[in-house]
Amino acid sequence: PARLKWALDHPGESSPEMRLGTAVHSLVFTGQHEFPVKPEDMSFATKEGKQWKLDNAAKLNDLITADQNDRAHKCRDAIKMNRDACEILESGDTDVACIIRDESLRADCRCLYDWVPNGKDFIADLKTVREGGSGPREFAREIMNRGYHLQAAWYLRLWNLYHQQPMHKVPHAPEPRFRFIFVVVETEAPFLTAVHELSSEFIQAGEAECLRRAEMIRDCTETGLWPG
């Protein structure tokens, strides 16, 4: 808990890998990204480089290189070549926000969905991985190391809680969703792609751990005590 409190109070800047992943996300779901791209071989010590830096001063923390920009576009193109991924991404909504009061946790909870397909019984999420990370065994390790099963369980939980509430039950309301699918792309050539569905056992384990952590955060917040 003490480490969590420190991280919440001292948010860090985004890493180059995070910016690359965000650029891929934007290209896949909206067709463009908003990161300034540093021209290849440009030096900030030159007159042109100093002017470019001045023109983009407000966005320097969100800078990506020409190589990262090229790789982001190649990731997007690779996903378009995957038939299963294209079927998943054919019709739906991106960046769908959900904010709901969870009375059992006595807290307002939220999440932001990468992709909610129309007429499907699952939620989808796009992940970028390093070279060799898209295979089943490799991505399973990535899930555990980065807690992607916690994300999946949390997203499904909030989706179903939201649509169970009477105020949100409108004609043709979305059905509950209990499946979670990852669209995965490697950020190095040849930009391999894969589609992985999380098993129900993985989701159940993730939900149990999510609730344990959420209850811990609730108790720490209410008491003001964040033990080490």
Side-chain angles (χ1 to χ4, degrees), residues 196-215:
H196 297 300
E197 179 170 354
L198 210 58
S199 70
S200 59
E201 292 83 2
F202 234 150
I203 294 173
Q204 290 170 7
E207 182 168 15
E209 179 63 12
C210 260
L211 291 177
R212 185 190 73 81
R213 296 188 185 194
E215 289 168 356

Side-chain angles (χ1 to χ4, degrees), residues 5-217:
K5 185 67 166 65
W6 174 266
L8 293 174
D9 292 341
H10 302 83
E13 296 181 356
S14 62
S15 67
E17 291 77 15
M18 293 172 61
R19 292 194 291 272
L20 174 59
T22 302
V24 174
H25 176 283
S26 298
L27 287 171
V28 169
F29 294 118
T30 69
Q32 60 184 359
H33 69 75
E34 298 181 354
F35 290 109
V37 180
K38 181 183 177 183
E40 193 171 5
D41 299 327
M42 171 183 281
S43 171
F44 287 152
T46 65
K47 179 180 179 180
E48 293 77 9
K50 291 178 180 178
Q51 185 60 49
W52 189 92
K53 187 176 181 180
L54 181 63
D55 294 340
N56 293 275
K59 297 182 178 181
L60 285 182
N61 288 335
D62 294 328
L63 185 70
I64 65 173
T65 65
D67 173 68
Q68 288 176 315
N69 183 57
D70 179 63
R71 285 192 286 147
H73 280 82
K74 288 179 178 176
C75 286
R76 187 268 312 272
D77 295 342
I79 290 173
K80 286 186 175 182
M81 297 293 291
N82 185 311
R83 292 184 179 180
D84 292 334
C86 287
E87 183 177 347
I88 290 171
L89 303 176
E90 181 179 11
S91 176
D93 296 302
T94 187
D95 288 339
V96 178
C98 178
I99 302 175
I100 184 173
R101 180 73 180 180
D102 189 329
E103 294 301 337
S104 66
L105 298 175
R106 299 194 293 276
D108 294 326
C109 304
R110 64 182 180 180
C111 61
L112 185 67
Y113 300 98
D114 268 3
W115 187 250
V116 179
N118 292 331
K120 304 293 185 181
D121 63 349
F122 61 85
I123 290 168
D125 199 76
L126 174 64
K127 297 298 184 189
T128 53
V129 295
R130 296 179 179 179
E131 182 180 7
S134 64
R137 292 190 180 190
E138 294 78 9
F139 191 66
R141 286 196 292 268
E142 191 83 354
I143 289 171
M144 290 300 299
N145 291 337
R146 297 185 178 273
Y148 291 158
H149 61 309
L150 305 181
Q151 174 199 8
W154 186 253
Y155 280 23
L156 290 170
R157 171 182 168 80
L158 293 194
W159 175 273
N160 292 323
L161 280 176
Y162 182 89
H163 290 99
Q164 286 170 6
Q165 292 187 352
M167 68 186 72
H168 299 136
K169 288 187 177 181
V170 297
H172 309 297
E175 295 294 326
R177 303 192 184 206
F178 302 99
R179 298 169 58 207
F180 202 92
I181 293 178
F182 293 104
V183 177
V184 184
V185 58
E186 296 183 13
T187 57
E188 299 287 345
F191 305 99
L192 300 182
T193 60
V195 173
H196 297 300
E197 179 170 354
L198 210 58
S199 70
S200 59
E201 292 83 2
F202 234 150
I203 294 173
Q204 290 170 7
E207 182 168 15
E209 179 63 12
C210 260
L211 291 177
R212 185 190 73 81
R213 296 188 185 194
E215 289 168 356
M216 177 198 73
I217 294 172

